[in-house]
Amino acid sequence: DCEGTREEPHQAFLFTSGETNQSALEGITVLGGYTGENGGAIQCDVRSSPAFVDCVFLQNSAGQLGGAIYCGPCCSPVIDGCSINNNVAQYGAGVGGDELSSPRITRCCLEANSASGSGGAIYAGDLSYRTDTMIVGCRIIRNQASYGGAIRCSRSNATIVNCVLSGNTATESGGAVYCWQ
C-alpha cells in the first residue's frame, strides 16, 4: 500500500534505467499509489521495458497519464495476466502510453477505471508520435472517460485481438474505442 495522497504523493516503482523484460514484478498487489504527474503506481521511463506478470493494480491515481501504469517514450513493458481496477487519471486510468511507447497488454482484466480526459482503461498514443500498443485476450469492462470509455488511440498502430469490451462509457465519443488520426 503506497498510501499516496495529494499532500504526500507516493509511487510504488520507478523504472528509469533502461530495464528490459528480464526485470519483472510477479504476483504482487500495488494499491494507493498517487502522483500529480505520470504513473500512479508504476512509472516506466527512459527506454525502460520491465514485465508485470499476475499483478493487481488497485485504486491508484495519476494527475496526467497512467493511473496504474505509465509507459513513457520508447518504453515497451509487458503487462500479462494482471488485474487493473479502480484507477484514476486524466489519460489512461489503467495504462497510459506516451509517444513512441509499445506496451504489450495480454490476458489482463481492466475494470472500473476512470479517466477525466481520454482512455478509461488504456490510452495509446500521443499527439505527435505513433505508438504500437498490443492488446490481446483482455477483458475491458465498465471503464469510463470523455473520449474512449475503454481505449483511446491517438496516432496509434494499436492492435486489439480477442478482447471483450463491455459496459464502457464515454461522455463525448467512443463508448468502447475512440481513434484519432
Side-chain angles (χ1 to χ4, degrees):
D1 188 346
C2 297
E3 298 181 349
T5 65
R6 184 179 309 256
E7 295 75 30
E8 290 195 38
H10 299 284
Q11 294 167 287
F13 295 94
L14 302 175
F15 294 91
T16 59
S17 300
E19 291 86 356
T20 67
N21 295 151
Q22 297 300 309
S23 295
L25 297 178
E26 187 169 348
I28 66 166
T29 298
V30 179
L31 65 114
Y34 179 90
T35 180
E37 297 179 10
N38 298 320
I42 305 286
Q43 181 179 345
C44 300
D45 227 336
V46 193
R47 298 184 183 271
S48 296
S49 300
F52 310 108
V53 180
D54 298 328
C55 294
V56 175
F57 298 97
L58 180 65
Q59 299 173 346
N60 299 286
S61 179
Q64 295 176 20
L65 271 166
I69 301 170
Y70 168 70
C71 308
C74 302
C75 295
S76 301
V78 171
I79 305 165
D80 181 51
C82 295
S83 293
I84 303 171
N85 304 330
N86 296 300
N87 299 285
V88 177
Q90 184 174 2
Y91 303 103
V95 178
D98 212 339
E99 60 190 39
L100 301 173
S101 67
S102 299
R104 302 293 181 250
I105 306 166
T106 57
R107 301 180 318 110
C108 292
C109 178
L110 296 98
E111 183 173 358
N113 298 288
S114 179
S116 60
S118 300
I122 299 168
Y123 182 89
D126 182 79
L127 300 179
S128 303
Y129 299 96
R130 292 205 177 278
T131 66
D132 293 311
T133 300
M134 175 78 68
I135 306 165
V136 178
C138 293
R139 290 177 24 98
I140 306 171
I141 56 179
R142 297 186 311 126
N143 300 283
Q144 72 91 23
S146 295
Y147 293 90
I151 302 167
R152 162 77 187 254
C153 303
S154 295
R155 292 192 178 181
S156 174
N157 294 323
T159 302
I160 305 167
V161 179
N162 293 330
C163 292
V164 173
L165 288 85
S166 175
N168 300 288
T169 58
T171 57
E172 295 295 326
S173 191
V177 178
Y178 181 85
C179 294
W180 182 76
Q181 292 193 345

